[in-house]
Amino acid sequence: MTLHLYYQDDQLIAPVEVLTCQPHDELFAATLHATPFHPQGGGQPSDTGWIGEAQVLRVTQEGQQIVHYLPQPLQLGLQEARVDEKRRRLNSRMHSAGHLIGHFVQSLGWTPIKAHHWPGEGRVSFKPGERPQAVDRIQVQRALEQWIGANLERHITMESGTRQVRFGQLPAYGCGGTHVHQLQELGPVSINSVSEKKGTLSVNYSLD
Ligand SMILES: [Zn+2]
């Protein structure tokens, strides 16, 4: 089982131990004892970066292992891993904005069912609870502006083995993704549309 370094801290550079490295299609697949790389999943794209001199092109969760795909083989043993900062930052901002949309729309009686925090395609989907209220795009926009303006701080706790992430006093979400420390790191978020189709409400958003 690969340990997730990014669960506890946001260190983008870390010493790592390469345990295995095997040819895989045109690439090489490597596993580490513990990794700072976030794999694709939970609505969030994977981190990229480097292990030693080798570029990490994509990272996936495969069962209990996190697998790093590289164009060249890695020597086993100690190496330095570096996560691409620009991409991580953008993914964390997109993902954190998705939390806020989830909180606000949930407060109007909707249950989040799916989140897609990919740049250019940001979307959170909801199904109606017992008494769902109408959701207005401007209202969502204002709620986010208020929380971002208050610069709420991120808190991460582990509860019965589940990682809980919350901003300020907003409710916590069980979540394995990466997030900003403070909401002002988000910058302006645009709620582009709120639409309803076959009972599913979709909120589309982007970062400016
Ligand atoms: Zn999250």
Side-chain angles (χ1 to χ4, degrees), residues 89-104:
R89 197 182 292 271
L90 177 59
N91 287 341
S92 300
R93 289 168 62 217
M94 284 296 295
H95 181 117
S96 302
H99 272 234
L100 301 183
I101 293 167
H103 288 309
F104 183 69

Side-chain angles (χ1 to χ4, degrees), residues 70-88:
L70 313 104
Q72 64 194 76
L74 288 177
Q75 277 201 336
L76 304 189
L78 280 185
Q79 300 262 11
E80 185 181 77
R82 281 170 296 142
V83 175
D84 183 289
E85 186 179 352
K86 205 171 150 200
R87 184 174 160 103
R88 162 67 72 85

Side-chain angles (χ1 to χ4, degrees), residues 56-193:
V56 176
L57 302 173
R58 64 172 200 273
V59 184
T60 58
Q61 176 87 47
E62 299 178 19
Q64 298 284 303
Q65 301 288 353
I66 293 178
V67 184
H68 309 71
Y69 289 94
L70 313 104
Q72 64 194 76
L74 288 177
Q75 277 201 336
L76 304 189
L78 280 185
Q79 300 262 11
E80 185 181 77
R82 281 170 296 142
V83 175
D84 183 289
E85 186 179 352
K86 205 171 150 200
R87 184 174 160 103
R88 162 67 72 85
R89 197 182 292 271
L90 177 59
N91 287 341
S92 300
R93 289 168 62 217
M94 284 296 295
H95 181 117
S96 302
H99 272 234
L100 301 183
I101 293 167
H103 288 309
F104 183 69
V105 177
Q106 209 167 355
S107 76
L108 297 176
W110 297 79
T111 307
I113 49 170
K114 202 165 175 237
H116 184 72
H117 306 302
W118 289 52
E121 309 169 3
R123 184 173 67 247
V124 187
S125 309
F126 301 83
K127 67 176 170 50
E130 273 180 24
R131 289 186 189 181
Q133 297 171 44
V135 179
D136 173 63
R137 184 181 69 82
I138 302 292
Q139 223 186 348
V140 183
Q141 177 84 48
R142 296 236 166 92
L144 263 67
E145 281 166 8
Q146 206 177 13
W147 286 327
I148 294 168
N151 200 19
L152 300 182
E153 220 171 301
R154 180 193 73 189
H155 300 275
I156 296 178
T157 53
M158 293 294 285
E159 278 161 40
S160 344
T162 308
R163 184 174 181 248
Q164 300 285 332
V165 180
R166 69 178 163 86
F167 289 100
Q169 294 306 316
L170 293 171
Y173 278 139
C175 184
T178 66
H179 310 80
V180 296
H181 284 251
Q182 293 185 307
L183 288 184
Q184 276 186 2
E185 292 169 45
L186 285 184
V189 179
S190 294
I191 303 301
N192 299 319
S193 66

Side-chain angles (χ1 to χ4, degrees), residues 44-60:
Q44 186 176 329
S46 93
D47 282 332
T48 57
W50 299 266
I51 298 172
E53 296 301 311
Q55 216 180 342
V56 176
L57 302 173
R58 64 172 200 273
V59 184
T60 58

